[in-house]
Amino acid sequence: MDRLVKPDVKELSIEFKRNEKCFATFRLTNLMHTMTVAVSLTTTNPSLLSFTNPLSTIPPLSTSSFTLLLSKPSSQPPLSSPLDTILVKSTVLPVGKANQDELRRMFLKSGPRILKDAIIPISFLGPHVVEFLLTPAPRKLDISFLLAKAISGCDESQLSLLLRSAAKCGNSYFASVVIDAGANVNHRDSNKLSVMALAVQSGNADLIEILIDSGYLIDNSVDWLLHEAAGMDRVDLLEVLCFSCLEIDLNSADKNGRTALHVAAIYGHLEVLRFLLSVGSDPDVADCKGWTPLHCASAEGHMKAVELLLDCSRYVKYAVTKDGQTAYALAVKKGNSELYDMLHLGDVWHRAATKGDVDALKSCLAEGVEVNGKDQNGWTPLHRAAFKGRIESVKLLLSYGAKVNVVDDYGYTPLHRAVEAGHVKVAMALVGHGAKENMKGLNCVVPMHSESFKKHLSLVSPLCEKKERA
């Protein structure tokens, strides 16, 4: 006979609970019909894993229970790779009984009468084991094997909480394993914070994709995922969210009424602003205080962000907050003087050029206005002064470096605008400063008064040709 007793388990699983008494029970059955059997139970880690009754006797065809327990409560499960094991030894006890000392002496001897009936692996289950494995565990451990064992002892609610822990850590492998085991990817805590929000906060783009592929359902009323990614300056996360999660609302507002574009503007995250605008975020949305993204960028002094937002919506700079402040007013309030030109001086500058107000032009120049700043149609002040025939303004602008051959959004130079309006003296002044009649790349758009345009152009063309020959 190759063994005397039979265990009722092939592997003994202990539910581990941090700093609590942990134990597991299994049974051994005596296979002998007439003889009592003595058994010895030992573990490969006796300092941590021990039995309440390591030496015992089992009557014929009877079954006895044995309890294995952790020697003392611990904050960490005693994991090992390979698993610790229980060694079950047995021998026939002809006299039918023996005391502990006699049993101990009996199993100290080796020989054919002492049988090794079973080797039982010991595994640890439960969420506390999984959480331990989520931490930087010793590398000698086989994490994937131990994780599979530990998860088998978790129910759905525990798995969902473990998924949150994995998402918070940004561990995509653990997240995949617990999702496959039955975790709810749409689990939210009492504050409605989703697993996806934790994944975004962790900065793991792969994990975000895993959650989306696993059926995550976005709630645009509480899921401010784009806001999180925008605040972190993570365009890669925004790309995954916008291109993989089709239900996401680009203009969803947080509790303050701010969109992700507001957040990017506050931090001055230029690449994030460019991306959000490229996929359809609205630069004109105002928050609960009436602030647009431009107000936010202006208040924080982010010049490049202000410039980009103005390019997307030139009229938004005139929008006022609920307390009546423009973006320019906020820039002044915060002392961001480098923004004055874009937000206000440029307007004064253009109006002065249109009216021919030389004194106002000089005042703007003294404040550092951009000489060649364009309006919403691509017109520079020189375009405006030329079109209105303001010869003195034209001369002043040229003296301060105004570009004479710059084109507007329709492809026209200040010379073309002067000729179109019939201002020959202005046209001659422009030609004298190098203006060209024919510009490469000029859009083939004929002005509304095309006959008038041709008539006045015929007066200026000889001047252009004469200058070219000179």
Side-chain angles (χ1 to χ4, degrees), residues 231-295:
M232 295 162 62
D233 199 16
R234 293 290 300 273
V235 176
D236 59 328
L237 302 186
L238 291 168
E239 288 176 341
V240 174
L241 290 167
C242 292
F243 299 145
S244 299
C245 193
L246 300 181
E247 303 85 5
I248 202 161
D249 181 2
L250 294 170
N251 297 304
S252 64
D254 63 14
K255 60 184 179 181
N256 296 313
R258 292 174 177 170
T259 66
L261 204 61
H262 282 90
V263 175
I266 290 170
Y267 289 104
H269 292 158
L270 206 59
E271 293 306 314
V272 170
L273 284 169
R274 286 197 182 100
F275 174 78
L276 289 172
L277 289 167
S278 72
V279 294
S281 292
D282 188 351
D284 297 322
V285 172
D287 66 12
C288 295
K289 294 182 179 180
W291 287 44
T292 65
L294 180 62
H295 286 99

Side-chain angles (χ1 to χ4, degrees), residues 115-242:
L115 301 181
K116 295 181 179 180
D117 280 5
I119 296 177
I120 305 173
I122 305 167
S123 61
F124 291 89
L125 314 179
H128 291 180
V129 181
V130 179
E131 289 174 355
F132 170 75
L133 293 172
L134 266 170
T135 63
R139 293 300 95 193
K140 63 181 181 180
L141 295 178
D142 185 345
I143 301 298
S144 59
F145 174 73
L146 294 172
L147 180 60
K149 294 285 185 183
I151 283 179
S152 66
C154 300
D155 59 29
E156 182 181 331
S157 62
Q158 291 172 330
L159 288 171
S160 298
L161 292 175
L162 289 171
L163 176 57
R164 297 183 69 84
S165 298
K168 190 173 183 179
C169 296
N171 194 317
S172 54
Y173 169 70
F174 270 69
S176 295
V177 173
V178 295
I179 288 172
D180 290 342
N184 179 11
V185 296
N186 291 297
H187 182 272
R188 295 177 184 272
D189 66 10
S190 57
N191 295 319
K192 295 188 177 181
L193 184 67
S194 66
V195 174
M196 181 66 85
L198 296 173
V200 173
Q201 291 169 8
S202 77
N204 190 327
D206 291 336
L207 178 54
I208 294 172
E209 288 207 57
I210 288 170
L211 292 174
I212 293 173
D213 292 341
S214 299
Y216 179 75
L217 300 174
I218 190 168
D219 182 347
N220 285 299
S221 65
V222 292
D223 279 337
W224 302 316
L225 309 176
L226 298 181
H227 297 68
E228 291 281 357
M232 295 162 62
D233 199 16
R234 293 290 300 273
V235 176
D236 59 328
L237 302 186
L238 291 168
E239 288 176 341
V240 174
L241 290 167
C242 292

Side-chain angles (χ1 to χ4, degrees), residues 104-122:
R104 190 174 296 107
R105 287 194 296 270
M106 189 181 303
F107 284 104
L108 284 175
K109 301 175 183 179
S110 60
R113 291 188 175 184
I114 304 298
L115 301 181
K116 295 181 179 180
D117 280 5
I119 296 177
I120 305 173
I122 305 167

